[in-house]
Amino acid sequence: MSTIDEVTAAAYRVPTECPEGDGTLAWESTTMVVVTVSAAGVMGTGWTYAPAAAAAFVTEALAGTLKGADPDGIPAIFAALTRQVRNAGRPGVAGYAVSAVDVALWDLKARLIGVPLTRLWGMAREEVPLYGSGGFTTYDDAATVGQLTHWVHEQGIGRVKIKIGESYGSRPDRDLHRVALARRTIGQDAELYVDANGGYTAKQAVRVAERMREQDVTWFEEPVSSDDLAGLRLVRERCDADVAAGEYGCDPGYFTRMCQARAVDCLQIDATRCGGYSGWFAAAAVADGHHLEVSAHCAPNLHLPVAAATAGLRHVEWFHDHQRIEAELFDGAADPSGGLARPHTDAPGHGLTLRTAEASRYRVA
């Protein structure tokens, strides 16, 4: 029996092409934390998008639990990691760290037996539907048009999402202007989604939703904070547009309550935050028990294999920041042309390999 003999973690901070922002946050760089777990000369890789402190947390708090463990026993390791982070809290930095480790463990297990993850889990579909996601509130009209044109008219992606709720909902007129601009740019045949990142109050979100009807917006994500279940329910009851859950941490009780409240139309799951692939399957099972579809949040290439293994999938978010980083720093990144992406079926694990030399110039921890 092989055992885990090495654990590493590194953080890479990649500048954005220009300042980016959404309804409640602005940023000029994105940090990716990469974890490797090795056994019998084989290495598995996982990653998350999190503060650089998550890398230190892996090496200082989690590596001791991992070393000497059987890489086939992922459920036992996951339970041990969960116990280890009890006092640090499963959401936040600790949750990001556990998520990256879990992805690395599944990648390692598949590579040790020489199969792709899609073979290890089984596939529900060969191709995964996706949507282009970006349209930041900091973009001027030209940048917005350029990005949407590239996705819809050059790459053939038939679903796109832009950010609204600018400055905590203080500029609704500009939000509505940008929604109308997006519709004119993509035409009537493409689906238009929006994401307020919790920037509105509930009644404000209802008013904005009413104004967006004429632009045929069919997905209104996090119109209010995803912690505000009563607000989500109000928006859902008052609007015909779908309301997504938005992003959340890895507290299973949270998304169980959200399902029970029926405040959402579709649950977003983020494997880089909710406990990796193990957390994904747990959340997807809860959603399935409530007859809800799931949508992958960000980190598109990481999500492709697990999305392909999930019967109740709606789509994967092809988030601009993350797909740009993954395409630059990993061999094996997928092609989104046509609005569908294929997970690797011809390489072991998730099929991606970090380009260490290229990534080194961004390393911060």
Side-chain angles (χ1 to χ4, degrees):
M1 180 187 74
S2 61
T3 59
I4 295 171
D5 53 32
E6 186 177 6
V7 179
T8 69
Y12 304 92
R13 184 171 297 130
V14 182
T16 57
E17 298 162 312
C18 60
E20 295 176 355
D22 56 32
T24 55
L25 192 66
W27 61 95
E28 295 186 357
S29 64
T30 298
T31 302
M32 178 178 66
V33 173
V34 178
V35 173
T36 64
V37 180
S38 301
V42 177
M43 184 175 69
T45 303
W47 68 96
T48 184
Y49 294 94
F57 192 88
V58 170
T59 56
E60 295 172 9
L62 304 182
T65 300
L66 294 165
K67 289 181 180 178
D70 177 2
D72 281 338
I74 296 177
I77 298 174
F78 189 81
L81 293 174
T82 300
R83 291 192 296 269
Q84 182 66 20
V85 303
R86 187 199 71 176
N87 290 343
R90 289 183 66 187
V93 168
Y96 288 119
V98 169
S99 299
V101 167
D102 183 83
V103 171
L105 288 169
W106 281 108
D107 187 47
L108 173 62
K109 180 172 182 175
R111 290 174 189 263
L112 282 168
I113 58 179
V115 300
L117 283 171
T118 50
R119 176 80 177 274
L120 183 66
W121 294 324
M123 295 177 69
R125 56 180 53 77
E126 294 184 353
E127 295 181 311
V128 175
L130 56 90
Y131 66 90
S133 173
F136 302 108
T137 58
T138 48
Y139 282 0
D140 61 19
D141 285 2
T144 301
V145 169
Q147 187 178 68
L148 296 176
T149 297
H150 175 65
W151 283 334
V152 175
H153 302 299
E154 297 173 7
Q155 291 189 306
I157 298 174
R159 310 171 193 86
V160 294
K161 186 174 78 180
I162 67 168
K163 301 290 190 180
I164 60 172
E166 181 176 350
S167 302
Y168 285 88
S170 64
R171 301 194 63 187
D173 288 344
R174 183 168 190 266
D175 293 337
L176 292 167
H177 162 77
R178 295 178 60 252
V179 171
L181 174 68
R183 174 53 72 194
R184 291 196 301 273
T185 301
I186 67 177
Q188 294 304 311
D189 294 332
E191 296 180 41
L192 179 57
Y193 304 162
V194 298
D195 181 359
N197 288 98
Y200 296 130
T201 64
K203 291 184 178 180
Q204 183 185 25
V206 169
R207 293 193 296 270
V208 171
E210 290 291 335
R211 296 280 303 276
M212 291 192 298
R213 287 178 186 273
E214 59 193 74
Q215 307 302 338
D216 194 22
V217 173
T218 55
W219 171 283
F220 192 175
E221 182 175 330
E222 212 172 4
V224 300
S225 169
S226 55
D227 290 325
D228 181 6
L229 300 189
L232 282 170
R233 176 181 284 172
L234 174 65
V235 177
R236 175 63 188 269
E237 289 173 348
R238 297 282 297 273
C239 303
D240 291 334
D242 293 342
V243 179
E247 59 203 71
Y248 53 82
C250 49
D251 171 16
Y254 174 77
F255 54 73
T256 301
R257 293 193 303 274
M258 183 170 279
C259 287
Q260 291 172 341
R262 296 296 292 176
V264 299
D265 172 77
C266 177
L267 274 180
Q268 280 189 319
I269 307 177
D270 190 333
T272 72
R273 301 182 183 187
C274 74
Y277 292 143
S278 296
W280 168 284
F281 283 121
V286 172
D288 185 60
H290 291 274
H291 311 291
L292 292 172
E293 291 181 312
V294 298
S295 176
H297 178 261
C298 296
N301 286 278
L302 181 146
H303 280 109
L304 282 181
V306 73
T310 302
L313 180 83
R314 183 176 294 191
H315 40 43
V316 168
E317 180 178 20
W318 210 257
F319 183 54
H320 175 68
D321 272 4
H322 296 175
Q323 67 83 21
R324 183 176 64 88
I325 292 171
E326 290 166 3
E328 179 182 357
L329 299 186
F330 286 96
D331 287 323
D335 179 2
S337 297
L340 296 167
R342 298 180 66 92
H344 283 280
T345 57
D346 56 354
H350 48 54
L352 277 78
T353 304
L354 182 69
R355 297 172 179 147
T356 307
E358 287 83 350
S360 63
R361 63 192 174 115
Y362 299 122
R363 185 165 180 172
V364 293

